[in-house]
Amino acid sequence: VSDWKTGPIKVSGANAAQYCSMKAGFDNGTTLVWARDAARQNSLAIDFDEAALQRGQDYYVALDVKGGEYREYLAKAASDRVLIMQLGNDDAFFASLHRKNTLNIDMDGVSLSYSLKGSSAALTDLNECVAKISGDDMFETAKAGAVKITTKTTKKQTAVDNAEYSPN
């Protein structure tokens, strides 16, 4: 019911880590929030928007990207409505999210299914956000000049006689 939104998470405190997140609300009443810190450690929070959990209790959760990666986690209820799981640094799983259309979540007998529409662009934005908070250099397109190549053709091969670089 809402588009994916990405951006930094403001965390206060002297030792507060920096995070970026992407989140979207769904018509089943839940919100998914993926968070990633500067060290590329990931977590997933599911907000059920109503009291559905036992605060502090552990829940077994299976994440299945349809046609892609499958993972199982032990998640903890941070409140009576928010479940959080630590996913670590799992590039294969996130690459699968980038390419596929559906995420299925099974949790203690409850099955949820999510459309990943728009998540590919959001994941790209998430990567860019993390690069900014971690100070990583981002690749940018730069004007590099032109290369002039002179060739000589024979029946059997084309040979490069000369290559010149000239900045624009």
Side-chain angles (χ1 to χ4, degrees):
V1 295
S2 69
D3 291 334
W4 289 97
K5 294 178 178 64
T6 59
I9 298 174
K10 305 292 185 206
V11 180
S12 59
N15 295 325
Q18 291 186 306
Y19 296 89
C20 292
S21 73
M22 61 181 261
K23 69 179 181 175
F26 293 87
D27 59 5
N28 63 7
T30 62
T31 300
L32 294 181
V33 182
W34 303 92
R36 183 175 293 161
D37 67 14
R40 299 191 47 80
Q41 297 299 310
N42 298 279
S43 62
L44 171 62
I46 305 171
D47 184 341
F48 290 94
D49 199 34
E50 62 183 30
L53 306 166
Q54 194 75 16
R55 182 186 178 115
Q57 183 172 333
D58 291 334
Y59 293 85
Y60 290 98
V61 179
L63 303 180
D64 182 16
V65 180
K66 188 174 180 182
E69 300 291 320
Y70 174 88
R71 301 287 188 273
E72 293 180 355
Y73 298 97
L74 185 62
K76 184 168 287 292
S79 71
D80 64 353
R81 57 181 265 185
V82 176
L83 185 70
I84 298 176
M85 64 202 81
Q86 300 302 317
L87 310 178
N89 187 336
D90 190 345
D91 289 337
F93 182 80
F94 283 92
S96 186
L97 285 175
H98 242 296
R99 294 186 315 267
K100 301 300 179 178
N101 298 318
T102 305
L103 172 66
N104 295 314
I105 299 177
D106 290 316
M107 180 189 93
D108 289 347
V110 175
S111 295
L112 303 166
S113 185
Y114 296 92
S115 167
L116 295 175
K117 181 180 178 186
S119 66
S120 183
L123 284 163
T124 298
D125 291 345
L126 182 67
N127 286 333
E128 290 174 2
C129 178
V130 170
K132 286 178 185 174
I133 67 169
S134 66
D136 288 347
D137 291 333
M138 295 295 295
F139 290 105
E140 293 182 14
T141 303
K143 193 172 184 180
V147 176
K148 179 182 175 185
I149 298 176
T150 307
T151 62
K152 177 169 53 172
T153 305
T154 65
K155 287 184 180 182
K156 294 186 178 184
Q157 64 183 12
T158 300
V160 175
D161 284 342
N162 191 10
E164 298 174 10
Y165 170 78
S166 63
N168 288 339

